[in-house]
Amino acid sequence: MTIDQNELQVFNLINQERSNAGLSRLSWHLELDNAAEGHSQDMGDQDFFDHRNPNNGLTSGERATAAGYQGSRIAENIGAGYTTPEDLVRGWMNSDQGHRETILNPDLEHIGVGYYYLPNDSGSVNRQHYWTAVFGAGDPDPGDPNPVVPDPGNQTIPLGVAPKSFSHQLNRNGSERVYSFSINETSSINLNLQIDVPIVGVGQGIGDDANLYFYEDTNGNGVFDVNNDQQLASSLEWRNSDDGINYRATPGTYFARVRAYSTGFDGDLDYNLDISATPISPGAYDAPNLISVPTGYQVDFDRGWHWLLENSVGDSDTVDTYAFSVPQPLGSDTYRANISLYPESYDADIRVIQDLNNNDIVDLADEVFKYSNNWGTTPESITDIPPGDYFLQVYQYSGNTNYEVSFDLRRVLG
């Protein structure tokens, strides 16, 4: 684990209080930080507020030892409900329950700070913000007197290149990971979250569910702050369904937040996140290039040969993706599909995709099977689609528009 912006502020504020009292500064210590972060998350996820974890019985000293700290002295402050580091440290310094004495203890040398935010905190202990500071002395590792927040890893996603892909694991309900990136011209930012469900392994992947959130770096500091950065979009698909976001964004820094809703049967959730940026007013070969099919966007010709669907595309949803399959030939007869799009007020275009390498990315030139990109609100049409598995993308060319799209299957007699 590493120190984040909130934890660094607590570290600096505590050392400022010690300096004001003429005491030596504390050094940041990795093992104490791991113990502190783990306890803050446990308090939030396991619904308690105490120095002793009621579920495993561990005390602050036992947690520090388990994390690898070898010192002989341990102290701990905890807090809940404080929304800022300043309020937290002010509360501790004004406390009559030993928090101030711990901060100003001249015998302590090291500190680790853990902050955990649980936005949908619905337990009996409903504080949302959980803080832990673990203090120690006697470990041979001197620690770091001047820790810094790691580089958030912002990366400009060039237009027209393959998406950036990230594969990670979450192992607690409510645990999360945040990805930071930037664009230098107005683009469609495309996100696709896929839950990995192994083919083998009893229970693996069963019940896994993660949600996807998209934020703007509102204050421009390059550090994700769930309390201040503006959430622009979210995708809350059920269980193992893919979560997708496609959003027209201006130049700047943005964050993708992956949060575990349920880690399922085995307690681990493996996922892959793809991120790309594609041009606005795109042509058929540079439209949003991630394939994410929401629940209810599957056209099943086994249930009916004619489908008429209504939806919309625009700045907050630059593309809709539908899955459909044209049946294989029946004897000497075969099947063909026709698709028509009727934009209502602004220009939207369509293309049919075959994901030949099954990676949920349009990354091969011949994966664009057919397209239609007439001007304005002129209807679009793609006809004579042969048997096979396909995706239809309806994508924004200009403005925000409602639309109707029809799928029709016909049988061609041999």
Side-chain angles (χ1 to χ4, degrees):
M1 295 182 180
T2 56
I3 196 168
D4 70 15
Q5 189 66 36
N6 285 306
E7 295 161 357
L8 180 61
Q9 286 182 260
V10 173
F11 172 85
N12 288 331
L13 289 168
I14 286 176
N15 273 324
Q16 184 61 53
E17 294 292 347
R18 290 177 64 89
S19 296
N20 293 344
L23 301 174
S24 60
R25 288 175 55 87
L26 302 173
S27 293
W28 177 80
H29 203 285
L30 175 62
E31 283 72 25
L32 295 182
D33 191 73
N34 288 342
E37 291 196 22
H39 190 57
S40 291
Q41 185 164 348
D42 284 346
M43 287 193 293
D45 289 344
Q46 300 177 24
D47 195 29
F48 71 93
F49 180 66
D50 203 315
H51 291 284
R52 181 187 291 273
N53 186 321
N55 298 304
N56 58 28
L58 294 180
T59 64
S60 58
E62 291 168 332
R63 286 190 294 272
T65 300
Y69 189 73
Q70 301 177 34
S72 57
R73 183 188 294 269
I74 292 293
E76 182 180 78
N77 282 356
I78 58 175
Y82 295 100
T83 59
T84 68
E86 293 82 1
D87 288 344
L88 172 75
V89 175
R90 185 182 304 113
W92 281 344
M93 291 301 293
N94 292 332
S95 168
D96 59 0
Q97 299 181 23
H99 300 94
R100 176 187 178 91
E101 288 75 11
T102 297
I103 290 173
L104 301 181
N105 187 330
D107 297 326
L108 297 175
E109 303 169 333
H110 306 132
I111 187 175
V113 180
Y115 168 61
Y116 183 63
Y117 176 63
L118 187 62
N120 299 315
D121 194 352
S122 58
S124 58
V125 179
N126 189 351
R127 307 289 183 84
Q128 293 188 312
H129 304 267
Y130 296 88
W131 307 82
T132 304
V134 183
F135 305 79
D139 189 283
D141 180 355
D144 185 352
N146 297 294
V148 295
V149 176
D151 188 324
N154 291 355
Q155 49 188 309
T156 299
I157 304 173
L159 300 179
V161 302
K164 305 295 183 181
S165 296
F166 307 90
S167 296
H168 289 110
Q169 183 182 87
L170 300 174
N171 51 27
R172 295 173 187 262
N173 293 351
S175 57
E176 62 183 48
R177 196 176 186 104
V178 176
Y179 302 84
S180 175
F181 53 93
S182 62
I183 54 174
N184 54 22
E185 59 184 317
T186 301
S187 309
S188 173
I189 291 182
N190 313 299
L191 310 171
N192 187 22
L193 174 66
Q194 308 141 44
I195 307 300
D196 181 21
V197 182
I199 297 175
V200 297
V202 176
Q204 290 180 312
I206 297 176
D208 286 354
D209 186 10
N211 295 325
L212 179 62
Y213 305 87
F214 176 52
Y215 293 81
E216 181 181 16
D217 183 19
T218 306
N219 57 15
N221 67 353
V223 177
F224 177 63
D225 182 351
V226 72
N227 299 308
N228 294 315
D229 290 327
Q230 181 182 0
Q231 180 179 312
L232 300 177
S234 64
S235 178
L236 311 176
E237 287 292 315
W238 179 249
R239 293 293 174 90
N240 302 133
S241 299
D242 291 354
D243 285 277
I245 292 173
N246 306 91
Y247 196 97
R248 177 177 170 138
T250 56
T253 299
Y254 297 87
F255 304 102
R257 179 187 182 203
V258 179
R259 183 174 176 81
Y261 181 80
S262 169
T263 53
F265 183 86
D266 64 346
D268 293 327
L269 185 153
D270 296 290
Y271 68 87
N272 183 77
L273 176 66
D274 295 321
I275 306 174
S276 73
T278 50
I280 59 171
S281 301
Y285 290 92
D286 52 13
N289 57 356
L290 303 183
I291 301 173
S292 180
V293 181
T295 302
Y297 284 58
Q298 294 83 16
V299 172
D300 185 358
F301 283 130
D302 289 336
R303 297 174 52 199
W305 285 22
H306 173 73
W307 293 70
L308 181 63
L309 306 174
E310 297 179 353
N311 216 320
S312 62
V313 289
D315 292 348
S316 61
D317 179 22
T318 59
V319 63
D320 289 335
T321 303
Y322 302 85
F324 69 99
S325 296
V326 179
Q328 293 301 314
L330 180 63
S332 60
D333 298 342
T334 189
Y335 295 94
R336 293 291 188 269
N338 298 330
I339 298 173
S340 296
L341 175 74
Y342 306 95
E344 182 177 293
S345 51
Y346 284 93
D347 193 353
D349 297 323
I350 57 175
R351 65 179 185 172
V352 171
I353 302 298
Q354 284 189 296
D355 188 15
L356 300 175
N357 52 6
N358 296 310
N359 65 350
D360 293 330
I361 299 172
V362 186
D363 54 357
L364 302 174
D366 53 357
E367 289 188 333
V368 180
F369 180 73
K370 287 186 176 183
Y371 63 89
S372 177
N373 54 1
N374 294 321
W375 185 253
T377 57
T378 303
E380 310 288 349
S381 180
I382 297 176
T383 62
D384 208 33
I385 304 170
D389 298 323
Y390 301 95
F391 300 94
L392 174 74
Q393 289 189 317
V394 180
Y395 55 93
Q396 176 198 41
Y397 186 83
S398 66
N400 303 316
T401 185
N402 297 325
Y403 67 82
E404 290 184 344
V405 60
S406 66
F407 296 77
D408 290 283
L409 182 71
R410 62 188 176 88
R411 185 172 177 175
V412 180
L413 300 179

